[in-house]
Amino acid sequence: MKIYDLFRAKLWTFNTVQIFRIMRLTIIIITACFLQLSAASKAQVISLNEKNASLETIINKIIDQTSYSFIGDTKLIRKAKLIDINVQNVSIEKVLSLCFINQPMDYSITDRTVVIRKKDKQAVVDIKITGVVTDSTGIALPGVSVVVKGTAKGAGIGAVTNTEGKYVLNVPDGAKVLIFSSVGMKPQEVEINGRTIINVTLKSADAQLDDVVVVAFGKQKKTEVVGSMTTIKPADLKIPSSNLTAALAGKLAGVIAYQRSGEPGADNADFFVRGVTTFGYKVSPLILVDGIESTSTDLARLQVDDIASFSIMKDATSTALYGARGANGVILITTKEGKEGKVNLSFRAENSLSQSTKDVEFADPVTYMTLANEANLTRNPLGGYLYQQSKIDNTIRGTDPVAYPTTDWQKMLLKDYTMNQRYNLNVNGGGKVARYFVAGALSQDHGIMKVDPMNNFNSNANLKTYSLRSNVNINLTKTTELITRISGVFDDYRGPINSGTAIYNEIVNANPVLFPARYAPTEDTRFVRHIMFGNYGDGQFNNPYASLQKGYKDYSQSTMSAQLQLSQDFSFITEGLSARAMVNTQRYAFFDVSRFYNPYYYSLGNYDRVNKTYSLRGLNELQSTISGVPAGTEYLGYDEGDKKVSTSFYSEAALNYKRTFNQVHSLSGMLIGIAKSSLTGGAGDLQSSLPFRNMGLSGRFTYVYNDRYATEFNFGYNGSERFHSSHRFGFFPSAGIAYTVSNENFWKPLKEIMPTLKLRATYGLVGNDQIGSPEDRFFYLSNVNMNSTSNGAVFGTLTDNFLTGVDITRYANNDITWETAKKFNFGIESNLFNKLGIQVDIYKERRTNILMDRTSIPSTMGLSANVRANVGEASSHGVDVSMDYSQNIGSDIWIKGMANFTYATSKFEVYEEPQYAEKNKSHVGYSLSQNWGYIAERLFVDDNDVAYSPKQNFGIYGAGDIKYRDVNHDGQITTLDQVPIGFPTSPEIVYGFGLSAGYKRFDLSCFFQGLGRESFWIDGVKTSPFVNNQGALLKAYADNHWSEENRNIYALWPRLSTTVNVNNTQTSTWLMQNGAFLRLKSLELGYTLPNSITKKAHMSNVRFYLNGTNLFLWSNFKLWDVEMGGNGLGYPVQRVMNLGVLISIN
Amino acid sequence: MNALSSCKKYLNVVPDNIATIDNAFTLRNQAEKYLFTCYSFLPRLGDIANPTLMGSGEMVTPNPGISPMDGYQNIIDLAYGGQNGVLPIGNTWDGENGARSYYIAIRHCNIFLENIVKVPDIQVSERNKWIAEVKFLKAYYHFSLLKMYGPIPVIRKNLPISASVEEVRVKREPVDSVVNYVVQTLDEAIPDLPLEISNQAKELGRVTKPIALAIKAQTLVLAASPLFNGNPDYANFKNKDGQALLNPTVDDTKWKKAADACKAAIDACHEASNAIHYFEKPFNMGAISDATTYCMNVRSTITEEWNNETIWGFSNSKGSTSNLQNMCTPRNDVQQTSGALLAASINAAEMFYTRNGVPIDEDKGWDYAGRFTKLKTIPQSESSLLNPNYITASFNMDREYRFYADLAFDRSSLFGFGRTDETNLLYISTIWGQGNSTGSNSRFSCTGYWPKKLINYKNSGSSGNYNIVSYVWPAIRLASLYLLYAEALNEAEGPSAETYKYIDLVRLRAGLKGVVESWATYAKNPSKPSTKEGFRSIVHQETMIELMFEGENYWNVRRWKNLDMMNRPIKGWDVFQTTTENFYRLKTIFTPNYSYRDFLFPIKEYDLSVNPNLVQNPKW
């Protein structure tokens, strides 16, 4: 019985027990037990004479001669040196002391039992190891503890780095591994391998832990993960912009992203996880910041310095727990939390210079007039000259800039560059009970519009964004943690009444020769106190300068979020059990106010050609009845814009169980329930005003065997209020397995070359309720507008007898339900020589039950709204690859490289459309963002050519207009001749690669980004020159168009026209462009101040950096920045040069 | 279990009482809204966007449109021959491209008819009246589709939303069956319709018995007309199953039915005290000459809203006539800001008779050959109509009063704008650079004529202002019924005292003598009114003159299958010239190239793909 007791006690003290060891030990004990019984009455003195005997032999002899028993690890015992011994009738103590001289083990005797164990204290000679510990930027880290692995902290074998990061440590001979640890840093184990100088770079604990990854509602060990996800170090997302979404492209494998506009406040990039596989309205991923659903604007405003982890969930298992919300992928972000230790302060300041990457070029005024005349006459020989030759001649001569104005609207309105500033401050720290992280940021972005000095208000865009975040963790008890997260983001904007994009559109739509932007006061008008804007006719022409200067708009936008989370460890009930609950509420508010005067427009009157005197004639002293141009005012008017308020309330509760049995069987389970409700204050109609709700129960169960085999099962059971009660809930299971081959024994020989290799596969279903359009709140209800003005009528001699009518905007359909995605993913993760990491994921997805219009219903049904059903199907597939490489050369140079590549393609599988005889019309098999259009063959040579070609049914056309191909040979060009043209409008390939290197205190990094397999179309309508007498003329069109003199049938622009020619503006291959590009997205040079200087200033780290974005672009398209695609006449993407400093104090 | 039910509750966010279609019929007041909904799809006839205004060639604008006309480019395209099957202009089948869908309107009518019985708080007599009104509207929408597309699917009852694909793929029905359906539905409606609107302040414009009878007459006339009555061009116009969509044999009894329907409508109108409208001079207006009176008779028939000739006024159109008037008004000394772009073509101007009441090419005493080449000085005696002592084309002289009532042109008077004193009349000048009526590249008439008929003389203005008095568009007026009757009766029985009587009633208003007398006295062929063919030609031209610029001639010309009329080159003066001699040179603006396919609108190609049972109209 005693032995048994001992056995139990022993088990307790072995702290690295492994099962086979226990088995061996048991054998010894059992053996000993039997022996003991037989030797119960033996003498207690021993005689031995052995040469080169093993300790095992000696012990067996002693057992033979005495009633003592032995306990110890056989493995350990076999390590003992061979023994020479010759004693007669001595006590066991004496024998043992002789046997254990210089043995690597010790013994003790308790009640006739000899326990053999490893020696506690090293008597052998210590080895002195020295080194320097730095952080990843090369800064020396003081206060880092260095201990030998396997020794208790109190055991004395340890050291702490000094203020220069140096340490000296005496380690025992047998020591193999050192552990470096420090508050705020990720602990690191380093093998000694006989070295005496060991320099170590510690990584910040903020960085994604290598072996632990953030997954839905928790964390997993890397070997446990079966789902497909991409994680990125937040620092890699740092760009000189106050819009985080601009940094996504090319940085994250699996994300398709591109930026179409550079306007402050409206420059969010479009981004999709693995492209788009639905025709519903919600195609963007779910964005979760600390577990809370957020908008892309919330993401845009997030400070990189506040982010602790950033990951993208791509496949079914990784998103399953989010249920219906995660069908289009999930972006999961956690913000930093406070860490135990003294106050850590970090401050960043940046100033950047921002300018358009490329401005659109327009034709000069003389060319404009000449070609306007050409446009008018070529279409209508009776049309006459729009601009008399005398005006053109005088313009060339520059006779009088007032009478013959030439206005370069771009120059008039836009500056060459603008300056933006960003500041960010965060502090963290805390003690045993509470830890805090508080961050504040301020950024100011300016537009590039000019301001007239006569205005005392500034109408250039100026967006100020403030944000504040406070995360506090409190240990209520040893097992209870309370976390509060409060954050607010506030935008204050002042800018032009119309958006910057609208100003750009006006520039494209303004006549350069009809009038100047403004007139200088003349003798008659010297008392005028307002700006005398130029105009023509009734004042109905577009004067972008007036639009810009007439007033300004203020908007204010704020998002507040408060979150409370309580975690309880229930280990006292059963080990590994914990629970968590969280509530969050968010409030959003937006309003805008415009203040403006109505510009006074003037045109030239009584111009005296000889004396060049003129008077100015006011055009809008009164409101024009015809064009509706309002009468000018000198005082400001006022207009209230949208006021949007919304709230949301989110709660979740989770029960967690995670335990490892027998060291090798890891089991975990989690159940989580969520409920979400949001309300908006300006919904516009009753149905939209009702609360938006979503609830679900999800679960995850994992089993991992010995860090090699991992399996996972997930489910989501979700309800959505949008569906009829019979279809309201959906069940979406998924499962996956992962196999870490490199942890197998047989892999050992390959471990040097390929330290890790892991294979993963998952399959599952995900639901989506965000289908149709957001206005379609309740598919099972009809939507009837009982006060439709357009369906109203008026009768009688009294004009006020108007009654509104009834309009049906949706027909009820009880059967509409969840869109379902079936997702399959296969991934490989590997690492070569611990230097090159590779992760490859291949996926396939099929969406079914996609809501779409029933096109089988003809117009004769007389339905005023489309009838829809879950009939569409689409599929997608693709591959995400990411690679990273790091290498140190000597102690001063480090190099890191990264590359990633995303290919995502989609196609219609089932698409309800009319049964065309023409195969080219069918969507099936083509990308969801494929465009259909006509094949433009060339321009018509002459009217004869027109007469002998198939009739084109898009309005009037003739020589010099685009000739389309009659694909179905029915003798005319109709919609049936449309074929899929070009690549999809959303790129199928997005890639990026970068290199960074450091030498001593300098670091340099560059990042290239590109995309491919994308087509876009020049907007033929918007770029049509001369329309309404005011469409501007692109230089490219002026240089290369069809004219009667130069019948170039492959000219860029067809025959000119003073109106939009419907024939030429059909979607066709004529204006189709390849959207592929590669750009030097960013370049950064950094310098870290030497410690000696930093220390004097009581700082821990100071780094200066100079960086730039969008510096170079390679593309075949030259008219504007190709990334803007078809939006090229809008606010250009910006090139930014930035100077910044980061200061840390602790 | 408890948790589950509370979950369900959580997602049950929809309160009771969400508006559904049933709510529209719970109370009379709500049901009245639905009644108005059925009315709201009536075409906006007095609107520039009405494709038949410009589509008839009577009015033109420059093409491509100049900026103020930009919103109407598709209508301009239609006039210039841009109709197509891909995106048809004025597509009332689908409700696209400048039109609302008549099929949606019909569905609303059916919903109303199915549900009106549910309304508890409505008097039986009122309910019956409403039912009759909506039945009328349902017939009218079918009739409008028939005019545009010929054979159409008739929607007698609504198909349920859940109808199978086979059910929804309806077929076109032969013209005769559509006509029968329209007539039968009108006949059902007529007994419950009032003869006149008693509450004029609130209900004028609602359907009455005379309106329904007039539409019935129009339907039967259309069915009897050459386009649909045994038209050999449509011999092969068949459904996919071989069903002929037009009766291949001419049936002259259709004209008799049509004439009877016209007479019934006229009688009902008379009973409802409709009569040919004559201008009533306001007490505060000074004396006006006979010439001005005749002109004002014609102009006020259109612009004096709810006058006694109006059988059906489209009250919904009132707003749009303001824009129309603006575009029809030349800029002048009183207002200098009108839109002024809608030009009357010389083709329209040629249609009018001489002062003697016969066509210009038939008048013995009128120099037809020299009409465009000779210039004349205006005598003082014409001062009510023309600016004396100035020079104008002989084409503009010695014409009937409707010429001067309907048209504004170089040297013509512009009675109104506060200038009603004939010693101080407003005259316009259109020679480029002279006067106020031209001189801007964006506001001019490309022919030299404006459709003055549509301009309310009550409009006023100042140099920077144009105040327009809009009016309710007269969709059907008595004169058109008279002419329709004369036409139908002539086709059925040949000319007679009855046919002369009704055509002469119309002529009388314009100061013209009867057809028999006029032709006998002035025409090269004095006996023309006595033959069926002769009278047909006379009544056609009379109709075109009388209904000029009202959009009706678009349908009439097609009904008559008069391709020659449609394909006349559209002409105007050389308006950019700055001297009188150069100005009065004839220019062709464009030459239409219509073929017989243009008698019907094309069905959108897409619809044929959606419903394979539909056949396209011939040659589209």
Side-chain angles (χ1 to χ4, degrees), chain B residues 353 357 400 402 483 503 506-507 510 512 515 519 537-547:
Chain B
Y353 298 144
E400 60 157 319
R402 283 182 292 193
L483 293 169
I503 193 171
V506 177
R507 291 168 63 92
L512 296 177
V515 281
W519 257 263
S537 148
I538 290 169
V539 77
H540 283 186
Q541 186 160 358
E542 189 70 46
T543 304
M544 293 196 68
I545 295 169
E546 181 59 28
L547 300 180

Side-chain angles (χ1 to χ4, degrees), chain B residues 521-542:
Chain B
T521 319
Y522 304 109
K524 290 171 186 162
N525 176 6
S527 63
K528 191 175 175 186
S530 62
T531 65
K532 191 172 180 176
E533 287 69 31
F535 189 80
R536 177 187 295 147
S537 148
I538 290 169
V539 77
H540 283 186
Q541 186 160 358
E542 189 70 46

Side-chain angles (χ1 to χ4, degrees), chain A residues 951-1122:
Chain A
K951 180 179 160 34
Q952 308 192 166
N953 284 289
F954 323 105
I956 316 288
Y957 66 101
D961 290 325
I962 302 173
K963 174 174 165 46
Y964 299 113
R965 182 175 299 167
D966 182 13
V967 174
N968 66 351
H969 305 293
D970 63 350
Q972 53 174 343
I973 310 296
T974 67
T975 48
L976 297 177
D977 295 304
Q978 289 174 334
V979 296
I981 52 174
F983 293 119
T985 53
S986 179
E988 290 191 326
I989 291 175
V990 170
Y991 59 91
F993 54 90
L995 203 62
S996 36
Y999 173 70
K1000 291 191 172 169
R1001 302 190 170 278
F1002 289 94
D1003 60 271
L1004 179 71
S1005 61
C1006 62
F1007 176 67
F1008 293 84
Q1009 192 255 315
L1011 56 83
R1013 292 186 61 83
E1014 182 218 47
S1015 287
F1016 69 93
W1017 278 259
I1018 297 175
D1019 188 329
V1021 176
K1022 273 190 186 166
T1023 58
S1024 284
F1026 316 123
V1027 175
N1028 290 355
N1029 278 331
Q1030 51 186 7
L1033 173 65
L1034 297 186
K1035 186 167 183 298
Y1037 291 175
D1039 294 345
N1040 188 6
H1041 66 272
W1042 188 97
S1043 65
E1044 288 173 69
E1045 291 73 41
N1046 178 18
R1047 299 189 173 224
N1048 174 6
I1049 56 169
Y1050 297 106
L1052 173 64
W1053 187 251
R1055 184 163 57 137
L1056 298 173
S1057 164
T1058 55
T1059 54
V1060 174
N1061 185 298
V1062 183
N1063 181 72
N1064 296 340
T1065 51
Q1066 297 294 315
T1067 304
S1068 77
T1069 54
W1070 199 257
L1071 292 175
M1072 182 171 83
Q1073 305 292 331
N1074 188 342
F1077 68 83
L1078 171 67
R1079 75 188 326 154
L1080 176 56
K1081 184 93 179 170
S1082 65
L1083 187 67
E1084 175 163 326
L1085 177 67
Y1087 174 71
T1088 307
L1089 281 187
N1091 259 358
S1092 46
I1093 301 174
T1094 318
K1095 261 196 68 189
K1096 275 179 204 154
H1098 304 286
M1099 293 171 183
S1100 55
N1101 186 16
V1102 177
R1103 176 170 178 265
F1104 293 96
Y1105 53 95
L1106 179 67
N1107 57 12
T1109 55
N1110 296 339
L1111 298 175
F1112 293 103
L1113 175 67
W1114 293 271
S1115 160
N1116 289 329
F1117 183 75
K1118 304 294 179 204
L1119 260 52
W1120 54 72
D1121 190 311
V1122 65

